Amino acid sequence: MRHKILVTGGAGYIGSHTTLALLEADYDVIVLDNLSNSSKASLERVGDIAGRKPLFIEGDLRDAALVNQIFKDHPIESVLHFAALKSVEESVREPLRYFENNLFSTMTLCQAMASANVFNLVFSSSAVVYGTPSIVPIAENHPVGQTTNPYGRSKFMIEQMLTDLAHSDPRWKIAILRYFNPVGAHASGRIGEDPNGIPNNLLPYICRVAVGTLTELKIFGNDYPTIDGTGVRDYIHVLDLANGHLSALDAIRKNSGTHIWNLGTGQGHSVLEVVKAFEAISDRPIPYKIAPRRAGDVAACFANVSKAERELGWKATYTLNEMLRDAWKWQSTNPLGYK
Ligand code: NAD
Ligand code: UFG
């Protein structure tokens, strides 16, 4: 029988790519998603690509009765927990909605897991927990918690909650994965990132300028102490990230406790480098203007990935050009996303 996995938030950007990777690796997948930031179409397309569908349950992770019932109905062995609200800007405006959604859904999930004797959990954390890094590349033992916004604090609080949980009961096997900047899409161009409204993040914004739904990019600051003054980030292909989850799942099944891994490439790229590389790949101009720095942004943020390489035997493989090529294939063949 196949290993059965519950994927929360599996209709979303990273969850849909990871669901595909799981199906391709012969897992059975159940997705629970309330579609608050995604579309069912992503999972239909995942099913087409894999030749096998995940079971989709539309519902909210904060609904304890529903979540308990899912564990009663299905012999789930492990959980990948992606479901969360993720906009930094929105979290500053609506902190309670962010804490309520992100914390309460994780608590409900963990309670239901414990009742069902399911203890393997992979959690989507973020480099946002490092706050303003005191040193780059950032290793997992860099201090955490000096986060600058409620979204980041919700991730930090969940990390602490999961660590306390694992201390309380040695049956828990928990991976905390700190993602750097996920970009790109499946090479088929059929699934990809489709944010609601005007994107906050660099790559989706550039993609929309390239297809003409937005007119110009604002580059937030060109006076940082970086190679060309613009912000430097560690962009990682979403397919590499998806594979990192499979490696983390294998690793925790052999080891109790909480384990933290950075998932990045270890390479930093500036905004201007990304813009120039994207123009070359798409053969479209990306008009931009320099705007003031964005509140809460840091100059440079990139990962030390040696712990993940050593302990997971995992390494990111895609280059920046490949990430941009795949992001562009998705956006150019789906100019309106899943709509
Ligand atoms: P996404 O918004 O595309 O996916 C999240 C999914 O969770 C959505 O489909 C949404 O509908 C669902 N969801 C939210 N609250 C829910 C609830 N209460 N019940 C059921 N479903 C719910 O986001 P993503 O980019 O795929 O991110 C996945 C995870 O990775 C999130 O936890 C996010 O915080 C984390 N992360 C993302 C990034 C990034 O840049 N994309 C970086 C670091 C960490
Ligand atoms: N940027 C622009 N213009 C834009 C958007 C972004 O110049 O329109 C710049 C930013 O200033 C930054 C870089 O592009 O220098 C990357 O910005 P993103 O918004 O794409 O990504 P961030 O690094 O700010 O944030 C991302 C996720 C967060 C997560 C964080 C750390 O969006 O959720 O990485 O993992 F917390």
Side-chain angles (χ1 to χ4, degrees), residues 17-315:
H17 286 83
T18 308
T19 294
L20 176 57
L22 289 166
L23 292 171
E24 288 176 339
D26 212 30
Y27 289 92
D28 260 348
V29 183
I30 300 169
V31 168
L32 174 64
D33 199 303
N34 64 5
L35 303 181
S36 59
N37 196 38
S38 52
S39 149
K40 222 169 30 189
S42 64
L43 293 175
E44 283 155 14
R45 295 185 186 189
V46 163
D48 292 346
I49 302 167
R52 198 157 70 83
K53 286 184 193 321
L55 173 67
F56 175 56
I57 299 170
E58 183 174 345
D60 198 296
L61 198 46
R62 291 163 295 177
D63 179 347
L66 170 69
V67 180
N68 282 313
Q69 195 58 46
I70 293 172
F71 282 100
K72 284 202 183 91
D73 291 346
H74 304 278
I76 291 163
E77 290 176 60
S78 306
V79 179
L80 303 194
H81 176 33
F82 295 96
L85 297 174
K86 65 160 182 178
S87 158
V88 168
E89 197 192 25
E90 202 175 59
S91 79
V92 174
R93 280 187 276 115
E94 299 176 74
L96 288 181
R97 186 157 81 88
Y98 269 66
F99 287 123
E100 204 269 339
N101 190 77
N102 295 358
L103 296 174
F104 195 42
S105 58
T106 307
M107 286 191 266
T108 309
L109 173 67
C110 291
Q111 280 161 346
M113 287 177 69
S115 307
N117 282 313
V118 177
F119 294 101
N120 302 330
L121 174 65
V122 179
F123 170 63
S124 302
S125 189
S126 164
V128 74
V129 299
Y130 295 119
T132 305
S134 51
I135 187 166
V136 283
I138 308 171
E140 289 83 350
N141 60 5
H142 183 286
V144 290
Q146 295 305 313
T147 45
T148 55
N149 56 73
Y151 163 71
R153 265 186 283 282
S154 77
K155 291 290 175 190
F156 173 63
M157 288 158 88
I158 293 170
E159 287 199 0
Q160 291 185 306
M161 194 163 87
L162 296 178
T163 306
D164 286 340
L165 190 59
H167 279 149
S168 74
D169 183 337
R171 288 176 297 174
W172 283 100
K173 299 174 170 191
I174 300 177
I176 291 175
L177 302 182
R178 294 182 181 151
Y179 310 160
F180 281 67
N181 290 59
V183 295
H186 188 258
S188 64
R190 298 216 57 220
I191 56 172
E193 187 170 11
D194 183 23
N196 285 328
I198 297 177
N200 292 312
N201 297 118
L202 181 65
L203 235 289
Y205 202 105
I206 289 179
C207 284
R208 296 213 183 160
V209 172
V211 287
T213 48
L214 291 169
T215 49
E216 90 181 339
L217 172 73
K218 287 193 204 67
I219 295 185
F220 299 133
N222 68 346
D223 57 353
Y224 285 108
T226 61
I227 175 175
D228 55 25
T230 64
V232 165
R233 295 291 183 275
D234 185 340
Y235 298 95
I236 173 169
H237 199 296
V238 67
L239 294 181
D240 277 332
L241 196 65
N243 281 329
H245 290 72
L246 273 66
S247 303
L249 189 59
D250 283 345
I252 57 166
R253 285 167 73 196
K254 296 177 206 128
N255 282 300
S256 303
T258 317
H259 307 272
I260 301 177
W261 291 292
N262 283 340
L263 295 185
T265 63
Q267 303 290 315
H269 293 284
S270 75
V271 177
L272 277 172
E273 282 175 333
V274 172
V275 169
K276 297 219 155 44
F278 190 93
E279 287 181 322
I281 277 165
S282 63
D283 204 20
R284 301 270 172 113
I286 304 296
Y288 66 83
K289 76 165 180 247
I290 304 297
R293 290 182 179 193
R294 183 170 68 176
D297 271 359
V298 301
C301 175
F302 52 99
N304 177 329
V305 286
S306 54
K307 186 167 186 268
E309 286 181 22
R310 196 174 59 246
E311 296 180 359
L312 301 179
W314 168 91
K315 195 176 173 14

